[in-house]
Amino acid sequence: MKKPLSPRSAKKVDVVIGRRIREARVAKKLSQADLGQAAGVSFQQIQKYEKAANRISASTLFAICQALETPIEGMFSEPATARKR
C-alpha cells in the first residue's frame, strides 16, 4: 500500500527544477560547491535541490539563477518537445 504524500513532498515541478539546475550547472562547468557558494547555501543543499529531496525557496532559486546566468522563467517553462498537443 502506498504511503499518502505529505503536502511538503516534492512535486513534479520540484523534480523538473532540480533537473534544470543540474543541467545549467554542468553546462557552466560549475561544481555543486561553486554554485552553493555563489547562492549562499552548502553543496549538500545543491545536491538535495538537484535530486528534489528538498524543495527550494523562491529567494534561493533566484540566487541560483543569478549565479547560473539563467532566467528564472526558464526553470518553469516546458521545453517544446515535452508539451502536449
Side-chain angles (χ1 to χ4, degrees):
M1 181 181 223
K2 285 178 101 176
K3 186 177 174 182
L5 292 177
S6 161
R8 296 182 61 128
S9 297
K11 310 284 190 269
K12 284 183 183 180
V13 70
D14 299 313
V15 174
V16 170
I17 290 171
R19 186 178 311 125
R20 291 190 179 153
I21 289 171
R22 178 172 170 75
E23 289 169 356
R25 178 182 61 77
V26 170
K28 292 274 186 188
K29 298 181 180 173
L30 291 173
S31 69
Q32 290 174 331
D34 293 336
L35 180 56
Q37 185 174 16
V41 297
S42 67
F43 80 90
Q44 291 98 334
Q45 278 303 115
I46 298 297
Q47 285 178 331
K48 290 177 181 183
Y49 296 147
E50 289 181 356
K51 293 180 180 181
N54 283 7
R55 296 177 76 185
I56 187 167
S57 71
S59 59
T60 303
L61 180 59
F62 183 77
I64 288 172
C65 287
Q66 284 187 315
L68 294 172
E69 300 174 342
T70 302
I72 199 165
E73 305 85 36
M75 295 292 170
F76 297 97
S77 62
E78 290 183 58
T81 57
R83 292 187 187 142
K84 292 182 181 178
R85 298 179 196 260

